[in-house]
Amino acid sequence: MATIGVMYKNIKSFTKIAEFGRKLLSRPSLELAIPMISTYAKELLEADRCSVFIYDKPKKRLWTVLADGVKEIEIAEDQGIAGAAFQVKKALIVNDPYSDDRFSSKIDHETGYMTKNIIAIPILNAFNEPIGVLQLLNKSSGDFDEDDRRLLTFFNHYISGYVELANYFSEEKV
Protein backbone atom coordinates (compact mmCIF):
# COMPACT_ATOMS: atom_id res chain seq x y z
CA MET A 1 0.00 0.00 0.00
CA ALA A 2 2.87 2.39 0.75
CA THR A 3 4.12 1.91 -2.81
CA ILE A 4 0.87 3.34 -4.22
CA GLY A 5 1.30 6.43 -2.03
CA VAL A 6 4.87 6.93 -3.25
CA MET A 7 3.79 6.44 -6.88
CA TYR A 8 1.00 9.00 -6.45
CA LYS A 9 3.39 11.50 -4.88
CA ASN A 10 5.87 11.00 -7.74
CA ILE A 11 3.16 11.42 -10.40
CA LYS A 12 2.03 14.64 -8.71
CA SER A 13 5.63 15.87 -8.55
CA PHE A 14 6.41 15.08 -12.19
CA THR A 15 3.13 16.69 -13.28
CA LYS A 16 4.06 19.79 -11.29
CA ILE A 17 7.47 19.86 -13.01
CA ALA A 18 5.85 19.64 -16.45
CA GLU A 19 3.54 22.52 -15.49
CA PHE A 20 6.62 24.46 -14.34
CA GLY A 21 8.29 23.83 -17.73
CA ARG A 22 5.36 25.38 -19.58
CA LYS A 23 5.38 28.44 -17.32
CA LEU A 24 9.16 28.79 -17.57
CA LEU A 25 8.98 29.15 -21.34
CA SER A 26 6.79 32.21 -20.91
CA ARG A 27 9.52 34.04 -18.98
CA PRO A 28 11.44 36.28 -21.41
CA SER A 29 14.57 36.71 -19.27
CA LEU A 30 16.67 34.93 -16.69
CA GLU A 31 15.91 37.71 -14.18
CA LEU A 32 12.20 36.94 -14.41
CA ALA A 33 12.65 33.16 -14.44
CA ILE A 34 15.03 32.72 -11.50
CA PRO A 35 12.52 33.56 -8.74
CA MET A 36 10.06 31.11 -10.29
CA ILE A 37 12.78 28.43 -10.51
CA SER A 38 13.60 28.95 -6.84
CA THR A 39 9.97 28.84 -5.72
CA TYR A 40 9.20 25.62 -7.62
CA ALA A 41 12.43 23.92 -6.52
CA LYS A 42 11.81 24.71 -2.84
CA GLU A 43 8.21 23.56 -3.08
CA LEU A 44 9.13 20.39 -4.96
CA LEU A 45 11.72 19.27 -2.41
CA GLU A 46 10.21 20.93 0.68
CA ALA A 47 13.37 23.03 1.13
CA ASP A 48 13.77 26.22 3.11
CA ARG A 49 16.26 28.01 0.87
CA CYS A 50 17.50 27.97 -2.70
CA SER A 51 20.54 29.39 -4.45
CA VAL A 52 21.09 29.55 -8.20
CA PHE A 53 24.75 29.92 -9.16
CA ILE A 54 25.94 30.92 -12.63
CA TYR A 55 29.47 30.17 -13.81
CA ASP A 56 31.78 33.02 -14.79
CA LYS A 57 34.27 31.10 -16.93
CA PRO A 58 36.95 33.82 -17.31
CA LYS A 59 37.08 34.31 -13.52
CA LYS A 60 36.55 30.60 -12.73
CA ARG A 61 33.94 31.64 -10.19
CA LEU A 62 30.36 30.74 -9.34
CA TRP A 63 28.09 33.61 -8.33
CA THR A 64 24.46 33.67 -7.31
CA VAL A 65 21.76 35.28 -9.36
CA LEU A 66 19.54 34.31 -6.45
CA ALA A 67 20.39 33.28 -2.91
CA ASP A 68 17.65 33.23 -0.29
CA GLY A 69 18.65 35.06 2.86
CA VAL A 70 21.79 36.76 1.49
CA LYS A 71 22.54 39.45 -1.06
CA GLU A 72 25.02 37.53 -3.23
CA ILE A 73 27.48 34.69 -2.92
CA GLU A 74 30.61 34.38 -5.02
CA ILE A 75 32.87 31.34 -4.70
CA ALA A 76 35.67 29.62 -6.58
CA GLU A 77 34.47 26.97 -9.02
CA ASP A 78 35.65 24.23 -6.65
CA GLN A 79 34.56 25.74 -3.32
CA GLY A 80 31.80 24.45 -1.07
CA ILE A 81 29.20 21.82 -1.87
CA ALA A 82 28.05 23.87 -4.89
CA GLY A 83 31.60 23.91 -6.25
CA ALA A 84 31.97 20.19 -5.61
CA ALA A 85 28.76 19.44 -7.55
CA PHE A 86 30.00 21.74 -10.33
CA GLN A 87 33.33 19.88 -10.49
CA VAL A 88 31.97 16.32 -10.49
CA LYS A 89 29.01 17.23 -12.73
CA LYS A 90 26.48 15.31 -10.66
CA ALA A 91 24.00 15.92 -7.86
CA LEU A 92 25.39 15.78 -4.34
CA ILE A 93 23.45 15.20 -1.15
CA VAL A 94 25.04 16.24 2.14
CA ASN A 95 22.85 15.58 5.16
CA ASP A 96 25.46 16.57 7.75
CA PRO A 97 27.27 19.55 6.20
CA TYR A 98 29.25 20.57 9.29
CA SER A 99 31.08 17.24 9.21
CA ASP A 100 31.86 17.54 5.48
CA ASP A 101 35.21 19.16 4.64
CA ARG A 102 33.78 20.66 1.44
CA PHE A 103 31.17 22.67 3.34
CA SER A 104 31.92 26.34 3.97
CA SER A 105 30.10 27.61 7.06
CA LYS A 106 31.05 31.24 6.35
CA ILE A 107 27.56 32.27 5.14
CA ASP A 108 25.90 30.54 8.11
CA HIS A 109 28.19 32.44 10.48
CA GLU A 110 27.52 35.76 8.73
CA THR A 111 23.73 35.36 8.62
CA GLY A 112 22.98 33.28 11.71
CA TYR A 113 21.37 30.63 9.51
CA MET A 114 21.96 26.95 10.33
CA THR A 115 22.38 24.64 7.33
CA LYS A 116 21.16 21.15 8.24
CA ASN A 117 21.25 19.49 4.83
CA ILE A 118 22.06 20.32 1.23
CA ILE A 119 21.32 19.03 -2.22
CA ALA A 120 23.23 20.62 -5.10
CA ILE A 121 23.06 19.79 -8.79
CA PRO A 122 25.07 21.25 -11.65
CA ILE A 123 23.24 23.05 -14.41
CA LEU A 124 24.67 21.57 -17.62
CA ASN A 125 24.66 22.92 -21.16
CA ALA A 126 23.99 20.92 -24.33
CA PHE A 127 27.64 19.76 -24.37
CA ASN A 128 27.34 18.39 -20.81
CA GLU A 129 29.54 21.21 -19.49
CA PRO A 130 28.55 22.81 -16.18
CA ILE A 131 27.27 26.39 -16.49
CA GLY A 132 25.89 26.78 -12.98
CA VAL A 133 24.54 25.03 -9.90
CA LEU A 134 21.13 24.77 -8.28
CA GLN A 135 21.42 24.29 -4.52
CA LEU A 136 18.69 23.70 -1.94
CA LEU A 137 19.02 23.81 1.84
CA ASN A 138 17.15 22.33 4.77
CA LYS A 139 14.44 19.93 3.75
CA SER A 140 11.56 20.49 6.16
CA SER A 141 10.62 16.81 6.46
CA GLY A 142 14.10 15.44 7.22
CA ASP A 143 17.09 14.50 5.11
CA PHE A 144 17.40 14.72 1.33
CA ASP A 145 17.31 11.27 -0.27
CA GLU A 146 17.54 9.46 -3.60
CA ASP A 147 13.93 10.32 -4.50
CA ASP A 148 14.87 13.99 -4.07
CA ARG A 149 17.90 13.49 -6.29
CA ARG A 150 15.74 11.93 -9.02
CA LEU A 151 13.13 14.69 -8.81
CA LEU A 152 15.75 17.44 -8.82
CA THR A 153 17.54 15.84 -11.78
CA PHE A 154 14.29 15.78 -13.77
CA PHE A 155 13.53 19.39 -12.74
CA ASN A 156 17.07 20.41 -13.65
CA HIS A 157 16.61 19.24 -17.25
CA TYR A 158 14.01 21.98 -17.67
CA ILE A 159 16.12 24.73 -16.20
CA SER A 160 19.41 23.72 -17.85
CA GLY A 161 18.18 24.42 -21.36
CA TYR A 162 16.52 27.64 -20.26
CA VAL A 163 19.64 28.96 -18.49
CA GLU A 164 21.84 28.04 -21.45
CA LEU A 165 19.56 29.89 -23.87
CA ALA A 166 19.26 32.90 -21.58
CA ASN A 167 23.05 33.09 -21.26
CA TYR A 168 23.46 32.76 -25.02
CA PHE A 169 21.00 35.54 -25.77
CA SER A 170 22.48 37.84 -23.12
CA GLU A 171 25.96 37.33 -24.65
CA GLU A 172 24.56 38.09 -28.11
CA LYS A 173 23.30 41.49 -26.92
CA VAL A 174 26.73 42.54 -25.65
Side-chain angles (χ1 to χ4, degrees), residues 91-95 102 118-120 143-146 148-149:
L92 297 178
I93 295 172
V94 178
N95 284 317
R102 300 169 296 182
I118 303 168
I119 187 167
D143 288 343
F144 289 111
D145 59 26
E146 287 305 309
D148 296 319
R149 183 191 317 259

Side-chain angles (χ1 to χ4, degrees), residues 94-105:
V94 178
N95 284 317
D96 186 9
Y98 280 88
S99 68
D100 191 305
D101 292 339
R102 300 169 296 182
F103 177 67
S104 173
S105 61

